[in-house]
Amino acid sequence: MRRTGFHAIQADFRPVSSRTRDVLERGEPISSMVVFPEDCPGDPQPASLLLEACSPDAFDGQVRAELLVRPHDTCRLPRGIEFKLVAGREILGHGRIREGFSVFRTLRRVTSRQEAFHSHYLCDALRQSLEGDRSLFDHVWRRVAPSGWAVPEVVEVMTEGQLRHQRRIDILIRDPASERVVGLELKTVDASARTGQLEQYWQDLCCCYGGPASVGLAFLTPFNEVMLASEPHMPKTVEVFREFQGWVRAEHGPELACTHVRHVSWLDLASIPWAGNAVWEQHREYVYQHMCGPGARAVSTLVGGRTFEHFFGKRAADAFWHALEGVGVEGNRNGVALQVSRFNGRNLADAITEAVGALTEMSEAVSRDADNDDRFAGKDMFLNSQNAHLHAAIFKLASRSGCLWLQGKKNYGLRVAHENHPKGVSLVTSRGFDHLDIGRPR
């Protein structure tokens, strides 16, 4: 039986029978089915899991866990959500997978500017692979290079490859023997794609490196059309790539458009195991859990009717509305419109402060670095109104938190930085001095 190895992750585990505990205390592994709750994000299916005690001396409630059939996919398992370990109808115990340390999650908590970091990391990983175990580079090449191009023996991998007119593409891979080149343009958020950018890069690459026959261009984003085939709405990145591929087809013909330009998902790269590299494992886990996790997929594919639960998760949204219920605000799936004068202004200010604090603290979708200065110059009008205390409390939220800011002209909106929305998400919007919209009331 396979023992938990390099791909194993730590979990807390509570056996429900002395027999299960005895097996773990003897240092023997347990192979059984892991089942997550029906409402678990991402809808993970039951899977064969292998558990063994972390301590070689005695079982102390901590185990190493690894998928039995596909151990390199262990990083897909959801973190922080209780699971059941079952054998037939018997429940062997309950567990919860720990987050563990990840430099990528740390980065996510402190800044919203992540694309350059992931670009540089991927470039460094490809270079490291070329110097030793080439498995990562070879697999990535087959996913991003034009079909039919052999994996080169010697290559140059450059970050921010120089193109015409001082433009730079995120990663440039050049095969000096064949004078072929593959450009990679990266996006970590689907909403950040821009129309016309890929066409520019293609023209630059063709001009600098010998024409379309010698050039490939890969668009690396959280999701591509293949990954979202069952979704009714496609994100902006898919629309941008469709337009680009249609343009290439019109310029160079259908064969080249089908083989030399590729839309690649980060999930395609995360499916590549690279044995012995702990940082790559952290990155794979980050892709599965965050960059391409259930929350990111929902933001990318849902059209209209977006709610706090959609943006921030059920737990954070429930805490937000619960804080407001204490002063008589009835939560609504989409949002509520408030006439401020019908409430005690100080109590409402305290409730909004508590609600926003709970939401920003609990939701992993909130970026901790807004990178936005206040864009509302009309504070004095609101601070001189009859509801000055309430508006002052909302302004204070924006001034003391790195993830919040004000935006507006005659009225203001309190916005929060969001991992998958570069322009942020509106929490509170004024409608004159005496009316507030919380969320998007309908």
Side-chain angles (χ1 to χ4, degrees):
M1 179 180 291
R2 178 187 172 90
R3 307 279 291 187
T4 49
F6 174 76
H7 299 287
I9 52 180
Q10 283 198 328
D12 298 312
F13 186 69
R14 305 186 309 279
V16 297
S17 69
S18 57
R19 182 169 64 89
T20 304
R21 176 177 286 275
D22 289 344
V23 172
L24 291 170
E25 288 184 340
R26 291 198 302 267
E28 298 177 5
I30 293 178
S31 173
S32 198
M33 296 296 292
V34 60
V35 178
F36 289 92
E38 291 183 359
D39 60 351
C40 181
D43 192 26
Q45 299 302 305
S48 297
L49 196 71
L50 190 66
L51 296 182
E52 68 178 6
C54 286
S55 172
D57 302 320
F59 173 62
D60 59 1
Q62 300 178 38
V63 295
R64 288 190 297 269
E66 185 176 56
L67 286 174
L68 188 62
V69 179
R70 296 175 61 86
H72 60 271
D73 275 349
T74 301
C75 54
R76 288 179 177 265
L77 295 173
R79 305 303 197 257
I81 296 174
E82 185 165 287
F83 63 81
K84 292 186 294 186
L85 195 71
V86 300
R89 296 184 178 180
E90 179 186 4
I91 298 177
L92 304 181
H94 301 267
R96 189 182 302 270
I97 297 171
R98 294 181 178 180
E99 284 283 356
F101 171 75
S102 169
V103 65
F104 301 100
R105 281 201 308 274
T106 301
L107 172 77
R108 182 175 184 265
R109 285 194 291 267
V110 299
T111 180
S112 58
R113 294 179 169 180
Q114 296 186 37
E115 285 184 1
F117 185 90
H118 288 280
S119 174
H120 280 258
Y121 170 67
L122 178 58
C123 194
D124 288 344
L126 293 174
R127 289 179 184 139
Q128 184 180 347
S129 176
L130 285 166
E131 293 172 0
D133 174 8
R134 285 182 55 111
S135 61
L136 176 67
F137 176 84
D138 291 355
H139 279 95
V140 171
W141 175 268
R142 294 187 183 100
R143 284 165 172 77
V144 302
S147 54
W149 283 15
V151 179
E153 290 295 321
V154 179
V155 294
E156 300 171 0
V157 182
M158 295 166 275
T159 307
E160 296 186 358
Q162 182 71 53
L163 302 176
R164 298 184 304 172
H165 310 304
Q166 298 184 330
R167 280 191 289 268
R168 295 178 180 272
I169 194 165
D170 290 324
I171 296 178
L172 200 61
I173 306 175
R174 179 174 173 268
D175 175 8
S178 65
E179 289 297 327
R180 289 171 170 170
V181 67
V182 177
L184 276 71
E185 173 61 14
L186 280 61
K187 302 293 180 187
T188 56
V189 177
D190 276 324
S192 66
R194 299 201 317 269
T195 300
Q197 187 179 36
L198 296 177
E199 287 86 340
Q200 262 188 349
Y201 286 147
W202 175 264
Q203 290 174 323
D204 289 348
L205 288 168
C206 289
C207 181
C208 296
Y209 293 99
S214 303
V215 167
L217 180 57
F219 193 31
L220 178 57
T221 68
F223 304 101
N224 58 16
E225 193 165 359
V226 173
M227 295 293 178
L228 301 177
S230 61
E231 297 287 352
H233 172 71
M234 290 292 169
K236 188 174 181 180
T237 48
V238 172
E239 297 172 4
V240 166
F241 183 78
R242 283 174 175 170
E243 291 177 9
F244 167 58
Q245 192 171 39
W247 177 85
V248 173
R249 183 179 294 108
E251 292 287 321
H252 306 290
E255 182 178 352
L256 193 139
C258 290
T259 58
H260 282 237
V261 298
R262 308 184 77 165
H263 192 183
V264 183
S265 166
W266 280 101
L267 291 167
D268 293 320
L269 301 196
S271 69
I272 304 171
W274 190 18
N277 194 292
V279 181
W280 181 251
E281 287 302 302
Q282 290 179 21
H283 195 265
R284 296 178 68 220
E285 177 190 332
Y286 180 85
V287 170
Y288 285 130
Q289 305 292 336
H290 299 288
M291 191 190 298
C292 304
R297 184 183 181 108
V299 169
S300 293
T301 58
L302 186 65
V303 57
R306 294 180 173 180
T307 66
F308 279 0
E309 182 176 339
H310 161 76
F311 284 115
F312 305 107
K314 187 176 188 306
R315 179 168 166 264
D318 286 348
F320 180 91
W321 292 117
H322 179 73
L324 292 175
E325 286 172 0
V327 294
V329 176
E330 296 184 5
N332 180 282
R333 184 173 182 272
N334 294 301
V336 294
L338 304 181
Q339 183 176 350
V340 175
S341 56
R342 297 179 62 182
F343 297 84
N344 179 297
R346 292 185 180 274
N347 291 345
L348 181 59
D350 291 344
I352 290 176
T353 299
E354 180 184 349
V356 172
L359 184 141
T360 56
E361 180 66 29
M362 291 183 180
S363 177
E364 290 190 351
V366 172
S367 174
R368 304 305 163 188
D369 177 20
D371 192 33
N372 274 292
D373 296 326
D374 281 354
R375 302 174 186 173
F376 180 62
K379 291 182 182 179
D380 289 346
M381 295 186 297
F382 287 85
L383 295 177
N384 290 321
S385 71
Q386 61 181 357
N387 299 311
H389 182 83
L390 172 65
H391 296 300
I394 296 173
F395 296 163
K396 187 176 180 180
L397 280 171
S399 65
R400 75 183 187 187
S401 173
C403 62
L404 298 167
W405 73 94
L406 295 172
Q407 187 170 321
K409 294 181 180 179
K410 292 182 179 180
N411 286 293
Y412 66 82
L414 179 69
R415 302 185 73 83
V416 61
H418 194 280
E419 196 64 32
N420 300 301
H421 261 260
K423 295 181 180 179
V425 175
S426 178
L427 300 180
V428 179
T429 305
S430 69
R431 303 295 180 200
F433 304 134
D434 194 40
H435 291 82
L436 292 179
D437 286 350
I438 311 292
R440 296 183 175 182
R442 293 174 181 270

